[in-house]
Amino acid sequence: MKRKITLKQIARELDVSISTVSKALRNSKEISADTIQKVQAFAKLYNYRPNNIALSLKNRKTNTIGIIIPEIVHHFFSKVIRGVELVANQRGYNVIIGLSNESFSKEVINMEMLANGSIDGFILSMSKETLQQQDYHHYNETMNQGMPIVMFDRVVSDIRCDKVIVDDFNGAKNAVNKLIANKCKSIALITTRDYVSVGKLRTQGYIEALQEHHITPQAELILKMDDTLDYEVHLEKLEAEIEQLFKAHEKIDGVFAVNELYALSAMKVARKLGLNVPEDIQVIGFTDGVLSKHSTPSLTTVSQHAQQMGERAADLLIDKIESEFSTEEEQFQTIVINTELIERESTK
Amino acid sequence: MKRKITLKQIARELDVSISTVSKALRNSKEISADTIQKVQAFAKLYNYRPNNIALSLKNRKTNTIGIIIPEIVHHFFSKVIRGVELVANQRGYNVIIGLSNESFSKEVINMEMLANGSIDGFILSMSKETLQQQDYHHYNETMNQGMPIVMFDRVVSDIRCDKVIVDDFNGAKNAVNKLIANKCKSIALITTRDYVSVGKLRTQGYIEALQEHHITPQAELILKMDDTLDYEVHLEKLEAEIEQLFKAHEKIDGVFAVNELYALSAMKVARKLGLNVPEDIQVIGFTDGVLSKHSTPSLTTVSQHAQQMGERAADLLIDKIESEFSTEEEQFQTIVINTELIERESTK
DNA sequence: GAAAGTCACGAAAACGTTTTCGTGTTAAGA
DNA sequence: TCTTAACACGAAAACGTTTTCGTGACTTTC
């Protein structure tokens, strides 16, 4: 079990100086052809590779980007990671992950852990707790130290940085428009509480679609779930509330749900009540998940292009990292990713 | 936009030496109370944090572990990552990810990228291509350089390292036993080609369960799918083959599938053929996925405890990293994670 | 044959730490 | 008053690179 070989060891073996070895390996014209050949042969034999950490220290650059997300066991986020990793690798960067688990303190700890020189920049999506507490000091402190941040999906306008977001508003609007075009007369919305920006925007899209078609939004048709609990935990509660909603408003013939599970639950309850999807009631969800594709009936859904979000975020971040000129007045971009309505069996 | 402050800057400001600052921050008794107080106050004011990269270089230890997996948009793997991250963070380590995308060359490139000093050890699951080509030189080279490796799930006995695996054999056997106990007389197996070790073991479990109940396994009841294509791509082909199988053997009243999607497809085809699950045909899958829980009917499945696998793998790796004594003859462990049969609606 | 230039290489600094080993000053002991 | 010990601090090395700047030994030029 031998350690990795270093320049110093090569130098000693070949009885030259460290600088000579370093230069020879980089084909410097300061070094004679003889020496270059000798050094390179030796280095190859011992499989020399420059130590990354030493390079990082010297160059004050790690070629690593950090990504902090609330949860990894989640199709949306894992697809974003895939996108980030793809672009990062292509451009010579590694990706280091931190999970906030939707907790403010874990988010802060993770950021501090990585901000001390381990990475060149952050890609992150805020935890629910951070969104609730509206405490953004850790972002600002990190940026003040010259560490660029790109936020995605869950963002707030108070923070000045690059952002990549989904067009939640139009995604929702298009979905509801589709339901209206499909002759739905009474469309329910199943959503979460409003503190997460995306939920709010989707609700607005729903309302505006209705209004544009001269349908008055009715508060009774909007079901707001408390999602501070884990999805799975409050599944029964969810279904019970949906059932109550459906029973109270038998005329409901369309449902727009802000996520996959809510949509699936709606279909499940509908079936239980003897309603056929899509004949009696049509359902559209919002997500990139795997459930939609494989449910029966399969679910029409608003795709978020999660992987593309990750790719764009990574490009944005690396561009910023590599831009030599940090112009005095920084310009921040917000990239909006268009959604796509994927029609499946749950709509006509 | 000021850079992070360093010991040197503090030293200059306070007109003491770097060593004094360093010692003062660590409350060395070499330093007077006065100086300690002064330095710590200044450091706190400027929010000093030691540079991780410098520490890594000095200590020849990065406190980072690398995880290389074939795919991240996958419930099993993302749960493993969650487990790894949980334990790693608790024990003061970061996690850096690499995706092989089931490709041999990407696996090698990723490993080389991380092996050059960036991490202290690897946790990995082999790509399908690596399993097929049976070329393991990169693992051995990495380990020869003193970098510990823990493999999980997809392992081969040729490589001498710590391993965490699922008890695929008994998981499958228990599942089939369950079907037999539930009065299934003709049980089909839907599996993949055999080069992935886990597939082979699950097939063996199936066969042994049958044999122990004096049922002769029939080759015609075993459907081997070519999974070199992406799941989604060959979905129709899968369903067509299952349909053919069911039609050719109408007596089939039980199905054991080696993954979630195969099981779901079996249920889908059954429904199409007018068969009721579980009345006419019972189905069991093998996975930790999300589809099983939310399908209709929900799927009885063999849970792999993916998160626990990640946790155990991380503990194993960190133990090895931190064990000072690299005893001459290294001992390697293989931890077997027991499966658990989760009964849902697809079995009686 | 001396001045100038080329060649091939080495010394040293720098990145930011920690730690070992001095060393000068003061206080205590004889 | 002299020796010794305690105290408080600094210099320097080390981790593994890259790069700038010297510097001898030759070679060329007039």
Side-chain angles (χ1 to χ4, degrees):
Chain A
M1 186 170 101
K2 58 219 165 185
R3 283 216 155 274
K4 280 193 82 72
I5 197 167
T6 69
L7 288 186
K8 188 190 278 193
Q9 292 169 49
I10 299 183
R12 195 181 306 142
E13 291 294 322
L14 264 44
D15 209 38
V16 292
S17 77
I18 295 180
S19 3
T20 302
V21 177
S22 177
K23 290 171 190 165
L25 288 174
R26 332 192 98 237
N27 287 311
S28 161
K29 55 183 53 170
E30 278 183 49
I31 307 298
S32 69
D34 259 20
T35 312
I36 289 189
Q37 202 277 330
K38 188 176 60 175
V39 170
Q40 293 195 350
F42 191 90
K44 183 159 196 177
L45 180 63
Y46 282 90
N47 195 31
Y48 170 78
R49 294 275 182 281
N51 180 303
N52 252 326
I53 296 291
L55 285 179
S56 296
L57 181 59
K58 175 135 192 52
N59 302 330
R60 289 220 199 82
K61 178 141 190 332
T62 61
N63 275 274
T64 302
I65 67 188
I67 178 165
I68 295 186
I69 52 174
E71 167 66 274
I72 195 171
V73 186
H74 196 295
H75 244 74
F76 175 73
F77 287 119
S78 58
K79 278 204 166 182
V80 171
I81 295 187
R82 188 209 257 164
V84 170
E85 211 265 352
L86 182 74
V87 168
N89 256 30
Q90 275 172 2
R91 298 184 68 170
Y93 285 73
N94 282 317
V95 179
I96 186 163
I97 63 165
L99 306 182
S100 69
N101 203 25
E102 303 285 10
S103 137
F104 173 78
S105 61
K106 266 214 72 179
E107 185 176 290
V108 173
I109 291 174
N110 259 306
M111 282 194 71
E112 286 181 350
M113 198 155 168
L114 297 182
N116 302 322
S118 302
I119 61 169
D120 295 333
F122 276 111
I123 291 177
L124 54 85
S125 193
M126 301 171 70
S127 77
K128 284 183 191 168
E129 212 181 1
T130 309
L131 278 163
Q132 269 179 309
Q133 298 184 198
Q134 302 188 19
D135 182 348
Y136 313 133
H137 77 276
H138 49 309
Y139 303 131
N140 292 322
E141 280 173 12
T142 306
M143 291 173 65
N144 277 337
Q145 289 176 352
M147 172 96 51
I149 293 182
V150 174
M151 305 190 69
F152 72 93
D153 194 46
R154 300 182 189 167
V155 305
V156 297
S157 53
D158 299 13
I159 307 175
R160 295 194 61 236
C161 68
D162 290 314
K163 293 163 190 166
V164 180
I165 56 176
V166 174
D167 190 352
D168 289 287
F169 176 79
N170 282 308
K173 193 171 160 186
N174 289 341
V176 176
N177 278 340
K178 173 74 185 172
L179 290 174
I180 295 173
N182 280 4
K183 314 281 186 218
C184 290
K185 300 299 175 198
S186 180
I187 301 172
L189 170 68
I190 308 179
T191 182
T192 59
R193 294 259 171 86
D194 275 353
Y195 59 86
V196 177
S197 53
V198 293
K200 198 183 297 180
L201 286 168
R202 291 175 195 173
T203 301
Q204 286 173 3
Y206 161 84
I207 290 175
E208 188 152 321
L210 293 182
Q211 288 176 335
E212 282 190 4
H213 290 84
H214 310 294
I215 304 173
T216 312
Q218 295 176 262
E220 316 95 74
L221 294 184
I222 299 181
L223 180 56
K224 287 195 185 183
M225 292 300 303
D226 178 2
D227 66 341
T228 47
L229 302 169
D230 190 55
Y231 271 174
E232 324 291 334
V233 176
H234 74 320
L235 206 56
E236 310 87 42
K237 191 171 170 234
L238 172 66
E239 288 174 12
E241 296 214 18
I242 295 176
E243 184 168 343
Q244 203 176 334
L245 176 72
F246 283 1
K247 282 182 176 165
H249 303 274
E250 292 196 351
K251 60 189 188 315
I252 291 177
D253 54 1
V255 173
F256 174 57
V258 298
N259 63 44
E260 196 171 43
L261 207 56
Y262 289 3
L264 242 65
S265 299
M267 295 207 293
K268 191 169 169 188
V269 171
R271 192 178 316 114
K272 182 178 167 191
L273 297 181
L275 300 170
N276 285 324
V277 178
E279 291 78 9
D280 304 325
I281 187 167
Q282 301 182 52
V283 181
I284 298 184
F286 203 120
T287 191
D288 261 349
V290 72
L291 287 174
S292 312
K293 191 179 288 177
H294 298 291
S295 65
T296 36
S298 58
L299 182 67
T300 295
T301 175
V302 181
S303 165
Q304 299 163 296
H305 299 301
Q307 178 164 345
Q308 193 191 338
M309 289 189 72
E311 293 169 10
R312 299 297 295 274
D315 269 323
L316 216 49
L317 180 63
I318 297 178
D319 285 347
K320 180 131 293 185
I321 289 173
E322 295 181 350
S323 75
E324 322 249 339
F325 313 94
S326 63
T327 39
E328 261 328 295
E329 261 317 295
E330 274 198 271
Q331 291 301 324
F332 296 111
Q333 298 181 50
T334 294
I335 293 182
V336 179
I337 305 285
N338 285 323
T339 60
E340 182 187 2
L341 189 66
I342 298 182
E343 298 186 38
R344 298 205 186 87
E345 297 166 1
S346 68
T347 49
K348 288 179 191 167
Chain B
M1 185 169 101
K2 58 219 166 184
R3 283 216 156 276
K4 281 194 80 76
I5 197 166
T6 68
L7 287 186
K8 188 190 279 194
Q9 292 170 48
I10 299 182
R12 194 182 306 142
E13 290 295 322
L14 264 44
D15 209 40
V16 292
S17 76
I18 295 181
S19 3
T20 302
V21 177
S22 177
K23 289 171 191 164
L25 289 173
R26 332 193 97 238
N27 288 311
S28 160
K29 55 182 57 172
E30 280 184 49
I31 308 297
S32 69
D34 259 17
T35 312
I36 288 189
Q37 202 277 329
K38 188 175 58 173
V39 170
Q40 294 195 348
F42 191 90
K44 184 160 197 175
L45 180 63
Y46 283 89
N47 196 30
Y48 169 79
R49 294 275 182 280
N51 180 303
N52 251 325
I53 297 291
L55 285 179
S56 295
L57 182 60
K58 174 131 193 53
N59 302 330
R60 291 221 199 84
K61 177 136 189 331
T62 62
N63 275 274
T64 302
I65 67 188
I67 177 165
I68 295 185
I69 52 174
E71 168 67 272
I72 194 171
V73 186
H74 195 294
H75 243 74
F76 175 72
F77 287 119
S78 57
K79 278 205 166 181
V80 171
I81 294 187
R82 189 207 258 164
V84 170
E85 212 266 351
L86 182 73
V87 168
N89 257 30
Q90 276 172 0
R91 299 184 66 169
Y93 284 73
N94 282 316
V95 179
I96 188 164
I97 61 163
L99 305 182
S100 69
N101 203 25
E102 303 285 12
S103 137
F104 173 76
S105 62
K106 268 214 71 181
E107 184 175 291
V108 172
I109 290 173
N110 258 307
M111 280 195 73
E112 287 182 350
M113 198 158 170
L114 297 183
N116 301 323
S118 301
I119 62 169
D120 295 334
F122 276 111
I123 291 177
L124 54 84
S125 192
M126 301 171 71
S127 77
K128 284 182 190 168
E129 212 180 359
T130 308
L131 280 162
Q132 269 178 308
Q133 299 184 198
Q134 303 188 15
D135 181 347
Y136 313 133
H137 76 278
H138 50 308
Y139 302 132
N140 291 322
E141 279 172 14
T142 306
M143 291 173 65
N144 275 337
Q145 288 175 356
M147 172 95 54
I149 292 182
V150 175
M151 306 190 70
F152 72 92
D153 195 43
R154 300 184 190 165
V155 304
V156 296
S157 52
D158 299 15
I159 307 175
R160 294 194 61 235
C161 68
D162 290 314
K163 293 165 191 165
V164 180
I165 56 176
V166 174
D167 190 353
D168 289 288
F169 175 79
N170 282 309
K173 191 171 161 187
N174 289 341
V176 176
N177 278 342
K178 173 75 184 171
L179 290 175
I180 294 172
N182 280 4
K183 314 280 185 219
C184 289
K185 299 299 175 199
S186 180
I187 300 172
L189 170 68
I190 309 179
T191 182
T192 59
R193 294 256 171 86
D194 274 353
Y195 60 87
V196 177
S197 53
V198 293
K200 197 183 298 180
L201 287 169
R202 291 175 197 173
T203 301
Q204 285 172 3
Y206 161 84
I207 290 175
E208 186 151 323
L210 292 183
Q211 287 175 338
E212 282 190 2
H213 290 83
H214 311 294
I215 305 173
T216 313
Q218 295 176 264
E220 316 95 74
L221 294 184
I222 299 182
L223 180 57
K224 286 195 184 185
M225 291 299 303
D226 178 1
D227 66 340
T228 49
L229 303 168
D230 191 57
Y231 271 175
E232 323 290 334
V233 176
H234 74 318
L235 204 57
E236 311 87 42
K237 193 174 170 231
L238 172 65
E239 288 175 12
E241 296 214 18
I242 295 176
E243 185 168 344
Q244 204 175 334
L245 175 72
F246 283 2
K247 281 182 176 165
H249 304 275
E250 292 196 351
K251 58 189 189 317
I252 291 177
D253 54 1
V255 173
F256 173 57
V258 298
N259 64 44
E260 197 172 40
L261 207 56
Y262 289 2
L264 241 64
S265 298
M267 294 206 293
K268 193 169 169 188
V269 171
R271 193 178 315 114
K272 183 178 167 191
L273 297 181
L275 300 170
N276 284 324
V277 178
E279 290 78 11
D280 303 325
I281 187 166
Q282 300 183 53
V283 181
I284 298 183
F286 203 120
T287 191
D288 259 349
V290 74
L291 288 174
S292 312
K293 191 178 289 177
H294 298 291
S295 64
T296 38
S298 57
L299 183 66
T300 295
T301 176
V302 181
S303 165
Q304 299 162 296
H305 300 300
Q307 176 163 345
Q308 193 191 339
M309 287 188 73
E311 293 169 9
R312 299 298 295 274
D315 269 323
L316 218 47
L317 180 64
I318 297 178
D319 284 348
K320 180 131 294 185
I321 290 172
E322 295 181 349
S323 74
E324 321 249 339
F325 313 93
S326 63
T327 37
E328 261 329 295
E329 262 318 295
E330 275 197 89
Q331 292 300 327
F332 295 112
Q333 298 181 48
T334 294
I335 294 181
V336 178
I337 305 285
N338 285 324
T339 60
E340 183 186 2
L341 189 66
I342 300 183
E343 297 187 38
R344 298 204 186 87
E345 297 165 2
S346 67
T347 49
K348 286 180 196 170

